[in-house]
Amino acid sequence: MHFARLLRAAGLPVGPGRVIDCVQALEIAGSQHREDWYWTMSAVLLSKQEHRPIFDQAFRVFWRDPKLTEKMMSLLLPKAHGRAARPEQQQSQRLTDALYSQKKPEELQSEKKEFEARLTFSSREVLSRMDFDTMSAAELAQAKQMLSRLRLPLPLVRTRRKKISINGKAIDLRATLRESLREGGDVIPLVRAAPAELHPPLVVLCDISGSMNPYSRMFLHFLHAITNDRDRVTVFVFGTRLTNITRALRHRDVDVAMAKVAEAIQDWSGGTRIGASLREFNWRWSRRVLGQNACVLLVSDGLDREAGEGLGEEMERLAKSCRYLVWLNPLLRYDKFEARPAGVRAMLPHVDLFLPVHNLKSLVDLGRTLNRPLTRNSQEKRAWR
């Protein structure tokens, strides 16, 4: 029961019914060996394969210390003894928080009420306007919770494909012939069709250089929420090279997803070669992911190590390959921002929107902006030329 309580604190959906089934299964399977406990409990308590890494780590730590059960019986969460786990074994920060907390349930409940009382509307408003670079560790944790609930809606785009619709103006001949066969050909009901509408693909190119470090890390949490909320989202990061992290971000657990992203990226907080990275994207990936009126989000400060060499040509090709090109630059948080760097001057003429991305409010405004119909050569871009 206490082991199930630990799993529930780590975020796994383990209810009382599964605990009862687990006890009954252990009575049938026997409890002579440690492996019997592991496979029986995992078969009953786990419902998704992505929960197994958290279960494995909790099982190793919980059943390692013989005196751990006595500590759990006193309604205190256990303290791990022995050698610390290797970095590759630390699968989830949620399990670590649940495992090392030594406070009683009534203390946790009082702290939860106090936290909810502090996080009022005014505090949320202050936090939403605070720069990511100036946040403390506690404020960053609250900001990540708010980012997990943000969404990025895109307006529906009409496609050439048609779908069956009662109010359609065109006649679907194939569907009409199929319906006539049901009546033996005596009656031919007309089946009408209308153009189908769907959300366009979203492609994100995020700069992870040293100057973008505090903003790219928070933006990746935002991209994790978007990737798990909708389909057809492709995410690339670039510093000195281009890396596709879409598959890593699709993991439901944000801690596991960020760990997989960190393993995939080899040039984090290094230099910036925007032109070379965009050239690689245009030649290798653009025809795969920029179809069907895709919208591209380019997250970068425009500070290129190569002084904008070849950047204008690659930006022009990228702009012609997508429906809209939106540039998100954290330097726009300064009122006296001027397009003086060579990289900024080379990129700016080819974007449709030029917006800031430095706090939670800017991400909310981004969602509102993309939710309305966009037009090429918007006023937001011309204002900074």
Side-chain angles (χ1 to χ4, degrees), residues 82-139:
R83 292 182 298 175
R86 293 178 296 177
E88 59 268 18
Q89 294 179 346
Q90 297 177 358
Q91 299 291 339
S92 176
Q93 184 65 29
R94 296 182 307 178
L95 178 61
T96 305
D97 296 339
L99 190 63
Y100 288 92
S101 176
Q102 295 294 320
K103 297 184 179 180
K104 296 183 179 180
E106 52 269 17
E107 296 178 0
L108 295 176
Q109 187 69 19
S110 62
E111 284 193 1
K112 182 179 179 181
K113 293 180 180 179
E114 183 181 357
F115 173 77
E116 292 177 351
R118 289 200 308 265
L119 200 58
T120 57
F121 177 79
S122 58
S123 60
R124 289 176 181 268
E125 185 70 17
V126 173
L127 186 63
S128 65
R129 297 179 180 274
M130 188 177 298
D131 196 305
F132 290 142
D133 196 16
T134 61
M135 287 184 177
S136 62
E139 292 168 344

Side-chain angles (χ1 to χ4, degrees), residues 74-88:
S74 62
L75 295 181
L76 292 175
L77 293 177
K79 180 184 297 183
H81 295 279
R83 292 182 298 175
R86 293 178 296 177
E88 59 268 18

Side-chain angles (χ1 to χ4, degrees), residues 180-230:
S180 65
L181 293 178
R182 297 181 181 179
E183 302 295 336
D186 298 332
V187 179
I188 303 179
L190 297 179
V191 180
R192 300 185 178 274
E197 293 183 347
L198 48 80
H199 292 284
L202 180 64
V203 179
V204 183
L205 299 170
C206 184
D207 188 349
I208 56 170
S209 60
S211 58
M212 287 287 297
N213 186 39
Y215 305 99
S216 58
R217 290 183 181 273
M218 296 300 294
F219 197 77
L220 286 177
H221 281 78
F222 176 57
L223 293 178
H224 176 265
I226 297 174
T227 306
N228 288 274
D229 176 64
R230 48 173 295 171

